[in-house]
Amino acid sequence: MLEIHDLAKLSYDQENSKSPYTFAGISAHMQQGERISLIGASGQGKSTLLRTLALLNTPDEGDMIYERASFREVGPRHWRKQICYVAQQAVMLPGSIEDNLCVASRLHGQPFDRKLADQLLEASGLEHLDIKKQASDMSGGEMQRIALIRSMLLRPGVLLLDEVTSSLDTISTRAVEKLLQGWHASEGTTLIWVTHELEQAARTSDRVWYMSSNTILEDAPTAEFFRKPATESARTFIQYNENEVQP
Ligand SMILES: Nc1ncnc2c1ncn2[C@@H]1O[C@H](COP(=O)(O)OP(=O)(O)OP(=O)(O)O)[C@@H](O)[C@H]1O
Ligand SMILES: [Mg+2]
């Protein structure tokens, strides 16, 4: 249902970098409800790829097709309603936490589902939060979860999660993982999840995209990827993180 064909994004710094591209030649087909982990070293372009998939950046080459329509046909507003990016660094809009939770639904002309918001707050360990409070007064980890819930309330077909548990302690991380797995099971949402924790990737995904050399170097079922990576690059990457992995 989401297809990408030869997707490429030119680098900002074409003169000085080895390749003129931040990423290039990325092709993949995703079925509805797949859970994909996007992993790779820092600076490989994982965030840029997710932002491009959500049309927050425009691809310089290639095509993206969601439910048989190219991004060029449907326009960014409609596209972003269905494919939603949750940023690595949560950005809160001015106003209360409640304003932040309402904003996406207001923007897309959908009613605010207060009951669902309360359920998601509870499931992510934020039931204590007074949502009338200023959003800017929250901790980084609280903001991260509010940003995630703000996107979930839109019920997009595809959720692009950029290190969404990086500011959380172990208990909150597990709560968010459980919340997302439950959401995936009930809503059938496709998840593409960037993480630096290989153990988390092994736990939460069916398929791994390993990014290296400005592209998706490996695209494999999760268990197979960790058991027998196909490239030397991925083998080395896993070895460096070996202590963390329990596939
Ligand atoms: N809109 C853009 N167009 C082209 N290149 C970009 C764009 N935004 C960021 N980049 C470049 O892409 C490179 C990769 O950055 P990116 O943030 O995507 O890496 P990452 O894999 O997410 O790293 P990390 O694991 O540290 O978060 C950087 O050199 C950055 O300058
Ligand atoms: Mg990143």
Side-chain angles (χ1 to χ4, degrees), residues 22-48:
T22 291
F23 61 77
I26 292 187
S27 297
H29 285 233
M30 282 141 274
Q31 300 301 326
Q32 180 71 48
E34 274 198 284
R35 299 175 307 162
I36 298 169
S37 278
L38 176 54
I39 60 173
S42 210
Q44 279 300 321
K46 302 180 297 296
S47 295
T48 311

Side-chain angles (χ1 to χ4, degrees), residues 96-110:
S96 67
I97 300 170
E98 187 175 30
D99 293 335
N100 270 273
L101 291 173
C102 291
V103 79
S105 38
R106 213 178 302 134
L107 216 64
H108 292 297
Q110 293 172 359

Side-chain angles (χ1 to χ4, degrees), residues 122-157:
E122 194 182 337
S124 54
L126 293 176
E127 66 280 4
H128 63 278
L129 214 59
D130 172 9
I131 63 168
K132 303 284 181 208
K133 220 172 71 164
Q134 284 299 300
S136 54
D137 291 344
M138 284 188 288
S139 75
E142 287 169 342
M143 282 188 197
Q144 215 169 25
R145 282 172 284 173
I146 292 296
L148 172 64
I149 294 170
R150 188 171 59 186
S151 296
M152 290 169 83
L153 285 168
L154 275 173
R155 295 193 138 103

Side-chain angles (χ1 to χ4, degrees), residues 153-173:
L153 285 168
L154 275 173
R155 295 193 138 103
V158 183
L159 257 179
L160 306 173
L161 309 166
D162 201 347
E163 301 190 36
V164 289
T165 60
S166 62
S167 304
L168 304 183
D169 61 47
T170 312
I171 292 176
S172 303
T173 296

Side-chain angles (χ1 to χ4, degrees), residues 9-13 20-23 38-52 56-58 60 85 88 162-163 194-196 211 214:
K9 185 79 195 154
L10 286 165
S11 168
Y12 289 139
D13 192 14
Y21 293 102
T22 291
F23 61 77
L38 176 54
I39 60 173
S42 210
Q44 279 300 321
K46 302 180 297 296
S47 295
T48 311
L49 174 60
L50 286 198
R51 291 179 56 80
T52 306
L56 300 169
N57 296 327
T58 314
D60 291 309
Y85 174 72
Q88 191 167 353
D162 201 347
E163 301 190 36
V194 173
T195 179
H196 282 288
M211 222 169 159
N214 308 103

